[in-house]
Amino acid sequence: MIEVKDISKHYGRKVVLDGVDLQFPIGKITSLIGSNGAGKSTLLSIVSRLLAQDGGVVMVDGKNVTDYKNKVLAQRLSILKQSNHVRLKLTVRELVSFGRFPYSQDKLTDEDNEKVDRAIHFLDLEDIKDAYIDELSGGQKQRAYMAMVVAQDTDYVLLDEPLNNLDMKHSVQTMKTLRRLADEWKKTIIIVLHDINFASHYSDYIVALKDGKVKYCDTTDNIINEKVLEDVFDIKISVTEFNSKKVCNYFM
Amino acid sequence: MKGIKKNFLITVLLLLAAVTLYLFYNMGSNWEFALRLRGVKVAAIIVVSCCVAYSSVAFQTLTNNRILTPSIMGFESVYLLIQTLIVFMYGDLTFQVLSGWGNFLLSVLGMIGFAFLLYILIYKKGKDNLYLLLLVGIILGTLFNSLSSFMQLLIDPSDYFIVQGKMFATFNKINRDLLWPSAGVLVILLVVGFRTTKYLDVLALGRDQAINLGLNYNRAVQLFLVIIAILVSVSTALVGPITFLGLLVTNLTYELFKTHRHDVIIAACCLVTAVTLLSGQFVMERLFHLSIPVSAIINLVGGLYFMFLLLRVRKL
Ligand SMILES: Nc1ncnc2c1ncn2[C@@H]1O[C@H](COP(=O)(O)OP(=O)(O)OP(=O)(O)O)[C@@H](O)[C@H]1O
Ligand SMILES: [Mg+2]
């Protein structure tokens, strides 16, 4: 389990995270929501040791992340950041193969290759697996990076706005993939989402951040509530039921 | 991959042709002497090529750009400053006080120190801003150059020639005492360097991905900065500064070899650099019988190319 205890972060005098306490249940999808600048990406970067916090600790399976060997942690926890751009001559399959680096470095075994192929299949990349990533569309690139994280095959998967740039079909497909990873493979997934309906449909728990603080942290059903959402986003949102699933409408 | 193999083969053949031509063209009557003289030059060119190729490619990967090389970032200014400082302090006693090796060691230490200064200024704070890096490099480079010029003004004119000899790269006055030791250092570094290219492959994905994939990012950057600093010292101590060579050959290599694998890129870049230097040297020395060092031409072409890249970089 990932536990976040009293995390704080500030840039100069500006407080970005303030006493964040959270626990992310195993085998579940937890969505992080909140306005731009609420601190979602910062929290994810701290949990994944990309950024040093100013206070508090992050525990993974009961052990402080800073006490892990880099390689061992990379086999347990993976992160995909909000924006990724490289200008390398790298094919999709080569990029996805990097997901196996924590296990086999550059000498891939048969098992590694199998996992790479499965990840490519999962993200629907078979027909572009030999294309260079700097020649792909934004959404295709995003999916290639997702496949790399899937190939990394870690218990904990942190994703910062993975639906960025994806069309509707691939957004739904990606969320279904994540659902399968959680349900069948017992992966613990923490995901930043901006579309509240995707959060509502596919996540088990929702954490709402506002101004660097955890405003709400509860089951999806309890968060998808007009009062709560208005409080988080400061706009009017109406929640209706449709086929026994809650749908939010914020075009008002 | 097939195109890469073909290009690799062609470059190897070109290198063999260039070496043969350089060694055996118009040998004259005293062929034994000519061959020994030319052999030394070829050896020096190959050592310098490997140093420049590895250090430039690795540096560009670390800094995630294709327009900066260690030379442009001021490593060679550090070398010149150290050389000037030594002459400034010891005057014409320089060669008695400090052996070639002592001098070399001092240069290596100076450049490693400089590498860590860059590291502290840029990496430690997690800033990977190309413009900041360029700015820091140019400012420090200019600062060191000004210091060197200032001391050169104070130096006794006859001692100044010692410094001047080190300011311009030339393969005609190779520091021969250092050639074989340099080659030894190079071989050791290349063994380490080529076993770690897989880390360069990962570093090329950027800091965050490198950490995500389990690399000890800071340690890896430090390792490569030390390797780079030593390689630059070797090449500069041997023939002097060739500021824009690295820029020219790395970009040529990236054009010819479209792969992300650093073992391939670096090996190819060694070949490309050696071919460039050998053919340049051949043309200047034999065909035109010019005394202009090939480094002058390379710096002219490379400098223009650098400006072209800087103007183009806006859309990166
Ligand atoms: N390097 C930095 N220096 C100064 N302030 C920063 C830095 N990085 C982030 N911030 C500030 O921290 C706050 C939180 O940023 P963060 O990226 O975590 O927001 P976010 O919730 O992910 O927003 P978004 O939905 O736009 O991605 C913002 O106000 C931002 O301006
Ligand atoms: Mg963000």
Side-chain angles (χ1 to χ4, degrees):
Chain A
M1 188 164 64
I2 296 184
E3 284 172 274
V4 167
K5 292 182 187 164
D6 199 24
I7 290 286
S8 62
K9 176 79 191 170
H10 51 81
Y11 289 106
R13 225 173 295 147
K14 182 175 174 188
V15 177
V16 175
L17 288 177
D18 184 10
V20 173
D21 274 302
L22 286 170
Q23 295 191 343
F24 298 96
I26 289 185
K28 302 288 180 200
I29 298 182
T30 306
S31 295
L32 285 178
I33 60 169
S35 326
N36 292 140
K40 308 178 295 292
S41 299
T42 309
L43 180 61
L44 233 51
S45 293
I46 289 174
V47 171
S48 56
R49 57 141 167 24
L50 296 182
L51 188 69
Q53 66 269 36
D54 294 314
V57 284
V58 178
M59 311 284 279
V60 172
D61 294 334
K63 189 166 152 186
N64 195 329
V65 274
T66 53
D67 294 339
Y68 274 93
K69 283 192 78 169
N70 294 286
K71 195 173 138 184
V72 174
L73 193 61
Q75 297 176 6
R76 294 231 186 131
L77 182 150
S78 55
I79 164 107
L80 182 61
K81 295 251 294 184
Q82 206 164 347
S83 61
N84 292 285
H85 29 235
V86 285
R87 283 167 288 127
L88 297 173
K89 278 293 164 197
L90 194 64
T91 65
V92 169
R93 197 173 192 288
E94 285 167 342
L95 178 75
V96 178
S97 303
F98 271 114
R100 302 307 298 167
F101 190 84
Y103 303 87
S104 312
Q105 303 212 319
D106 56 343
K107 308 254 181 308
L108 297 199
T109 62
D110 289 345
E111 189 200 343
D112 292 321
N113 280 316
E114 221 166 85
K115 289 195 165 164
V116 169
D117 288 331
R118 198 184 67 195
I120 287 174
H121 175 73
F122 251 34
L123 272 299
D124 193 19
L125 291 165
E126 268 125 344
D127 40 336
I128 50 167
K129 68 172 191 278
D130 293 318
Y132 284 120
I133 53 164
D134 62 349
E135 291 165 8
L136 297 182
S137 77
Q140 292 169 330
K141 209 180 294 178
Q142 182 73 14
R143 275 155 50 213
Y145 273 99
M146 284 272 290
M148 173 180 145
V149 169
V150 171
Q152 204 175 333
D153 195 19
T154 53
D155 290 342
Y156 304 100
V157 181
L158 279 52
L159 301 160
D160 198 347
E161 297 185 33
L163 304 187
N164 246 354
N165 292 322
L166 296 198
D167 59 30
M168 278 179 286
K169 173 187 155 198
H170 286 109
S171 297
V172 170
Q173 212 166 323
T174 301
M175 290 312 293
K176 284 188 173 153
T177 303
L178 294 179
R179 209 48 268 178
R180 272 181 67 194
L181 288 176
D183 295 339
E184 293 170 26
W185 303 87
K186 287 281 161 275
K187 305 282 184 202
T188 307
I189 295 168
I190 308 175
I191 179 173
V192 175
L193 286 176
H194 273 302
D195 189 328
I196 191 75
N197 284 318
F198 274 103
S200 152
H201 241 76
Y202 293 101
S203 45
D204 301 301
Y205 297 92
I206 295 182
V207 172
L209 285 181
K210 193 174 185 182
D211 300 329
K213 289 197 178 72
V214 177
K215 192 88 183 182
Y216 297 94
C217 166
D218 211 330
T219 59
T220 301
D221 199 46
N222 287 341
I223 301 274
I224 303 302
N225 166 298
E226 291 181 358
K227 275 234 163 51
V228 172
L229 292 178
E230 274 178 40
D231 187 21
V232 173
F233 291 106
D234 297 321
I235 55 166
K236 278 226 157 304
I237 295 175
S238 84
V239 178
T240 49
E241 291 234 354
F242 182 76
N243 282 348
S244 81
K245 280 274 187 184
K246 287 183 176 175
V247 178
C248 308
N249 180 9
Y250 41 87
F251 301 107
M252 315 202 305
Chain B
M1 222 41 203
K2 226 176 118 213
I4 289 169
K5 271 200 189 124
K6 200 181 86 193
N7 283 354
F8 206 87
L9 202 67
I10 293 175
T11 323
V12 170
L13 290 178
L14 273 178
L15 179 63
L16 289 179
V19 170
T20 317
L21 195 64
Y22 188 83
L23 283 179
F24 299 112
Y25 176 81
N26 203 359
M27 276 208 290
S29 52
N30 197 347
W31 62 270
E32 241 183 308
F33 176 73
L35 209 57
R36 187 143 9 106
L37 207 66
R38 293 173 185 186
V40 168
K41 277 190 201 172
V42 169
I45 283 178
I46 287 172
V47 169
V48 167
S49 299
C50 293
C51 291
V52 168
Y54 192 101
S55 61
S56 304
V57 171
F59 191 78
Q60 291 185 344
T61 294
L62 288 192
T63 54
N64 211 338
N65 82 91
R66 285 189 180 172
I67 55 170
L68 298 183
T69 59
S71 324
I72 297 173
M73 283 297 297
F75 276 80
E76 286 171 348
S77 314
V78 176
Y79 173 79
L80 268 186
L81 179 64
I82 292 172
Q83 296 311 316
T84 313
L85 203 64
I86 293 171
V87 176
F88 180 71
M89 291 195 309
Y90 298 117
D92 54 358
L93 293 177
T94 301
F95 295 112
Q96 293 164 31
V97 177
L98 209 58
S99 65
W101 262 110
N103 189 326
F104 177 63
L105 222 60
L106 215 59
S107 309
V108 171
L109 288 179
M111 289 203 201
I112 292 180
F114 180 67
F116 276 87
L117 186 66
L118 283 184
Y119 172 78
I120 289 166
L121 283 175
I122 291 146
Y123 290 97
K124 212 56 184 299
K125 303 203 173 109
K127 294 175 190 154
D128 48 359
N129 185 327
L130 183 60
Y131 293 100
L132 177 71
L133 192 65
L134 188 60
L135 206 65
V136 169
I138 286 174
I139 289 176
L140 289 179
T142 313
L143 176 72
F144 294 150
N145 281 340
S146 313
L147 280 174
S148 302
S149 311
F150 179 67
M151 279 187 280
Q152 282 158 17
L153 285 177
L154 300 179
I155 292 175
D156 179 7
S158 62
D159 297 341
Y160 176 70
F161 285 111
I162 306 177
V163 181
Q164 200 186 29
K166 309 214 172 195
M167 278 164 58
F168 304 100
T170 163
F171 289 95
N172 297 327
K173 284 187 302 184
I174 296 158
N175 194 338
R176 280 172 77 162
D177 296 339
L178 283 181
L179 182 57
W180 298 118
S182 304
V185 173
L186 177 72
V187 168
I188 295 170
L189 280 180
L190 285 187
V191 169
V192 179
F194 268 92
R195 296 180 120 210
T196 45
T197 51
K198 58 186 175 205
Y199 301 125
L200 283 176
D201 293 347
V202 175
L203 285 170
L205 297 175
R207 174 183 177 272
D208 293 343
Q209 285 294 355
I211 295 177
N212 174 45
L213 294 175
L215 210 64
N216 187 336
Y217 180 76
N218 288 342
R219 185 102 56 80
V221 168
Q222 286 168 15
L223 168 76
F224 286 112
L225 279 177
V226 169
I227 294 181
I228 289 167
I230 300 176
L231 287 175
V232 176
S233 314
V234 169
S235 121
T236 321
L238 211 53
V239 296
I242 320 177
T243 311
F244 289 108
L245 177 64
L247 175 87
L248 212 56
V249 291
T250 48
N251 282 286
L252 197 58
T253 311
Y254 294 132
E255 284 301 319
L256 294 173
F257 298 86
K258 301 217 177 294
T259 172
H260 72 287
R261 294 194 52 133
H262 281 78
D263 44 1
V264 178
I265 285 281
I266 292 175
C269 193
C270 293
L271 296 173
V272 168
T273 316
V275 171
T276 309
L277 281 179
L278 270 174
S279 43
Q281 184 73 12
F282 180 77
V283 170
M284 298 301 290
E285 186 182 311
R286 306 291 165 70
L287 296 188
F288 294 140
H289 300 284
L290 287 181
S291 51
I292 309 172
V294 65
S295 61
I297 304 295
I298 286 174
N299 278 342
L300 180 68
V301 177
L304 288 173
Y305 186 56
F306 181 57
M307 289 207 272
F308 166 73
L309 284 179
L310 271 189
L311 291 175
R312 208 186 55 172
V313 82
R314 226 175 308 175
K315 64 176 191 235
L316 289 184

